[in-house]
Amino acid sequence: MTLKKPLVILLHEIYGVNDHMEYYKVIFNDAGFDVMVPNLLDRKPFHYSEEAEAYTYFMIEVGFEKAELIIEQIINEQKQFYEDIYIVGFSIGATLAWLCSEKSVSAVFAFYGSRIRQYLHINPKVPTVVYFAEKEKSFNPQIILKQLQQKNQVYTHLVNKSHGYMNPFDKKFDKLAADESTNEIFRWIKL
């Protein structure tokens, strides 16, 4: 029997399942969703001051291929219970969410996934909403957005904020922009 209540799978940044993920788990739970937050690192979270270590750990110990397989397995297991499954990812998790846009989920929401630029061959099969912060240190989001806008099922937003604007524990957090983006997700997913 499938549940009418939708499932949101939250995909974390390089730091792991930390306060940022717990914050959004509560937000989505309070809005009426069931929420899963898989620990793709399979360890305790890194502190924000350990950015370089966290990045290296993710790239060497996990990587996109392994993480995508883990998420795909979760999706396949949960499909027997949920009619609608939504993926919401942040940074590395956003790139993984983008990779899930070819899977059998209901929609994907990807926040500042800079590595999406390495996977432009992906053609989403479900509505895929991509948010890029205007201020990125590692790439020019406008170039990627132009390419993404040519794809079917892709909806793009360039937010006049910095990478991390969705994270209430980051100095770049912007509550107004974060609330607007979250409310937009809720409008896409009408409960």
Side-chain angles (χ1 to χ4, degrees):
M1 179 177 143
T2 57
L3 300 171
K4 290 291 181 194
K5 187 180 209 182
L7 173 66
V8 169
I9 300 174
L10 290 175
L11 302 179
H12 58 72
E13 299 174 307
I14 56 173
Y15 303 106
V17 180
N18 60 6
D19 46 10
H20 176 213
M21 292 298 94
E22 294 300 330
Y23 175 85
Y24 279 101
K25 182 177 182 180
V26 170
I27 295 284
F28 283 100
N29 260 319
D30 288 353
F33 299 93
D34 283 344
V35 182
M36 288 185 73
V37 188
N39 184 346
L40 301 172
L41 302 183
D42 197 26
R43 58 157 283 160
K44 68 179 182 63
F46 286 92
H47 188 270
Y48 294 115
S49 65
E50 300 174 295
E51 180 179 1
E53 296 91 334
Y55 178 81
T56 300
Y57 183 89
F58 179 84
M59 296 307 283
I60 292 173
E61 300 296 328
V62 184
F64 288 105
E65 285 182 28
K66 180 180 174 185
E68 182 183 4
L69 289 173
I70 293 167
I71 298 161
E72 186 172 13
Q73 181 179 357
I74 292 167
I75 291 167
N76 291 336
E77 289 170 359
Q78 296 304 315
K79 292 235 29 106
Q80 65 183 312
F81 304 112
Y82 293 94
E83 191 174 307
D84 290 306
I85 298 175
Y86 299 94
I87 309 292
V88 178
F90 302 89
S91 197
I92 290 282
T95 301
L96 291 165
W98 172 258
L99 295 174
C100 291
S101 69
E102 291 186 315
K103 314 266 186 265
S104 57
V105 295
S106 300
V108 166
F109 302 90
F111 289 92
Y112 37 84
S114 62
R115 295 293 179 137
I116 289 172
R117 68 188 187 272
Q118 294 176 249
Y119 298 98
L120 294 174
H121 63 278
I122 298 284
N123 290 305
K125 295 180 178 162
V126 299
T128 301
V129 185
V130 178
Y131 298 83
F132 278 121
E134 199 169 79
K135 299 167 187 89
E136 284 284 354
K137 61 182 176 186
S138 61
F139 74 109
N140 182 341
Q142 285 94 345
I143 293 170
I144 308 305
L145 284 172
K146 284 180 186 170
Q147 293 174 290
L148 294 178
Q149 290 164 349
Q150 306 304 310
K151 295 181 176 286
N152 291 328
Q153 299 274 29
V154 177
Y155 307 88
T156 61
H157 296 281
L158 185 61
V159 181
N160 186 18
K161 301 295 169 199
S162 297
H163 187 111
Y165 80 90
M166 291 291 291
N167 183 349
F169 305 97
D170 188 304
K171 63 184 177 222
K172 297 173 196 130
F173 177 61
D174 186 295
K175 181 163 176 36
L176 181 60
D179 288 349
E180 285 175 8
S181 296
T182 304
N183 288 331
E184 184 172 329
I185 293 174
F186 295 153
R187 286 191 297 275
W188 269 90
I189 310 170
K190 297 174 182 82
L191 283 175

